[in-house]
């Protein structure tokens, strides 16, 4: 009712002792519209108890329930999510959907962006090498050696009984730069040999042979530097161990295969390419010829 311009609610309720249990509803009476007599609600209604949530949760504007679980044994988070999706597909109706929160959401997002991140790192490395070698073909020889290191890293993860997670994905991106340096050393030294006047085949043989020792030294040094990550213990050792496995296995396998694959692909792909110093030599030669032509013409004669 309204009182002095303010709306006030009026709530009617029975005595507290007469409404303590659901069965107390049967003691209420309503008046019949036909006979005008009072009729007990026991004659009109049936009471049934059911379980309902106190509140209805929503996620992304959809009614939802949250499932929380802990992993036991050797199960990984990826395997648990695959099991969840399989149960949803088999047991729930087609209109049901699932979404993720917490660590599951981070895992799904990182898994979906890992290929994009790795591809972007590979593209950036390739473009930098294109600027360095002034060629679109020779950097391909170096980029081809990067997947070899990735294969070694994945093999190391398999042998160490580890999985792909956020830490291993970060280590794989790091491995792109570490794996490319060996190919850069070989290709750069082969180009220097070609600039010195050696034939194409001899430049490949001598350049690869002379870079063998430095590449092995840097590979062994990098692998030994990753050993503390493998043997360390304490808080966070699990994440460091995964990074150490990828660096150790990727560098050892990648460097070994690079010594064989890079010269071979250079001989196949870069046969018709020129070295970065080739244009410089052409320019110097053109300037020298222009200077000689001016010297031979001499000073202009007076009429």
């Amino acid at each position: 009712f309204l009182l002095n311009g303010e709306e006030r609610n009026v709530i009617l309720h029975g005595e507290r002792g007469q409404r303590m249990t659901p069965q107390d509803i049967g003691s209420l009476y309503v008046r019949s519209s036909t006979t005008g007599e009072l009729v007990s609600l026991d004659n009109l209604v049936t009471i049934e108890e059911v379980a309902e949530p106190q509140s209805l949760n929503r996620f992304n504007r959809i009614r939802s329930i949250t499932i929380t679980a802990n992993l036991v044994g050797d199960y990984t988070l990826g395997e648990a999510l695959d099991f969840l999706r399989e149960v949803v597909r088999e047991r729930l109706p087609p209109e049901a959907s699932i979404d993720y929160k917490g660590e599951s959401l981070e895992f799904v997002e990182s898994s979906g962006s890992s290929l994009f991140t790795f591809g972007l790192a590979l593209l950036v490395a390739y473009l930098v090498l294109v600027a360095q070698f002034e060629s679109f073909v020779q950097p391909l020889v170096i980029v081809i050696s990067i997947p070899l290191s990735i294969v070694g890293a994945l093999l190391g993860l398999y042998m160490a009984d580890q999985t792909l997670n956020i830490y291993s994905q970060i280590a794989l991106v790091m491995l792109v730069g570490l794996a490319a340096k060996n190919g850069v050393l070989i290709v750069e030294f082969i180009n220097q040999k070609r600039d010195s006047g050696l034939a194409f085949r001899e430049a490949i043989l001598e350049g690869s042979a002379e870079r063998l020792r430095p590449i092995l030294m840097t590979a062994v040094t990098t692998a030994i530097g990753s050993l503390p990550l493998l043997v360390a213990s304490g808080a966070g050792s699990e994440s460091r161990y995964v990074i150490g496995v990828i660096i150790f296995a990727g560098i050892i396998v990648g460097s070994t295969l690079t010594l064989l694959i890079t010269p071979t692909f250079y001989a196949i792909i870069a046969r018709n390419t020129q070295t970065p110093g080739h244009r410089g030599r052409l320019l110097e030669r053109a300037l020298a010829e222009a200077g000689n032509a001016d010297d031979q013409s001499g000073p202009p004669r007076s009429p």
Side-chain angles (χ1 to χ4, degrees):
F1 70 97
L2 296 177
L3 178 63
N4 298 328
E6 295 184 1
E7 182 178 336
R8 299 177 180 272
N9 296 326
V10 179
I11 301 175
L12 301 179
H13 59 83
E15 294 290 340
R16 182 174 180 82
Q18 299 177 359
R19 52 184 177 87
M20 296 297 292
T21 64
Q23 287 72 24
D24 292 336
I25 297 179
S27 61
L28 299 179
Y29 289 85
V30 294
R31 189 174 298 278
S32 172
S33 61
T34 56
T35 63
E37 297 180 357
L38 295 176
V39 180
S40 174
L41 284 182
D42 281 336
N43 301 318
L44 303 176
V45 299
T46 302
I47 300 175
E48 180 182 357
E49 295 186 10
V50 295
E52 293 289 343
Q54 294 183 353
S55 61
L56 297 178
N57 298 323
R58 294 182 179 272
F59 186 76
N60 291 337
R61 299 182 179 181
I62 301 176
R63 288 181 57 178
S64 65
I65 60 172
T66 301
I67 300 176
T68 304
N70 294 324
L71 299 177
V72 297
D74 297 331
Y75 289 102
T76 62
L77 182 57
E79 294 173 344
L81 294 179
D82 292 338
F83 175 77
L84 172 63
R85 286 188 284 265
E86 184 67 19
V87 171
V88 170
R89 186 181 65 83
E90 295 179 354
R91 303 292 181 86
L92 296 184
E95 61 271 14
S97 62
I98 58 175
D99 210 329
Y100 307 95
K101 296 174 64 176
E103 294 183 4
S104 300
L105 178 61
E106 295 177 1
F107 177 82
V108 173
E109 290 180 347
S110 62
S111 299
S113 61
S114 59
L115 293 178
F116 173 77
T117 304
F118 180 77
L120 183 61
L122 202 63
L123 178 62
V124 171
Y126 173 74
L127 294 178
V128 172
L129 293 174
V130 167
Q132 178 181 354
F133 289 98
E134 301 177 2
S135 171
F136 287 96
V137 178
Q138 292 186 5
L140 287 177
V141 180
I142 303 172
V143 172
I144 289 174
S145 64
I146 295 178
L148 302 177
S149 299
I150 302 301
V151 171
L154 296 178
L155 181 62
L157 284 179
Y158 176 77
M159 297 180 64
D161 196 20
Q162 298 295 316
T163 61
L164 279 174
N165 48 50
I166 184 64
Y167 300 104
S168 57
Q169 292 171 12
I170 293 174
L172 287 175
V173 175
M174 293 171 51
L175 192 60
V176 172
L178 295 175
K181 65 180 181 61
N182 294 330
V184 171
L185 291 175
I186 295 178
V187 173
E188 177 66 21
F189 212 72
I190 292 175
N191 288 336
Q192 292 180 8
K193 290 295 183 180
R194 293 177 63 186
D195 291 336
S196 65
L198 287 180
F200 183 77
R201 179 181 176 83
E202 285 72 17
I204 294 177
L205 294 176
E206 290 192 14
S208 302
E210 293 185 12
R211 290 292 92 186
L212 173 62
R213 185 175 180 180
I215 289 176
L216 290 178
M217 292 175 62
T218 55
V220 173
T221 303
T222 305
I224 293 176
S226 65
L227 289 179
L229 300 175
L230 298 175
V231 300
S233 60
S237 59
E238 295 84 0
S239 59
R240 294 193 296 268
Y241 180 77
V242 174
I243 297 176
V245 168
I246 289 182
I247 295 177
F248 183 86
I251 288 297
I252 294 298
V253 176
S255 299
T256 303
L257 296 179
T258 298
L259 293 172
L260 302 175
I261 300 299
T262 300
T264 303
F265 276 93
Y266 189 95
I268 297 174
I269 299 176
R271 179 174 296 276
N272 298 322
T273 62
Q274 300 295 336
T275 62
H278 177 71
R279 293 183 179 179
R281 293 196 304 273
L282 293 179
L283 181 59
E284 292 177 358
R285 186 182 305 172
L287 292 176
E289 292 176 355
N292 293 333
D294 292 339
D295 293 340
Q296 291 177 2
S297 62
R301 298 180 179 180
S302 59

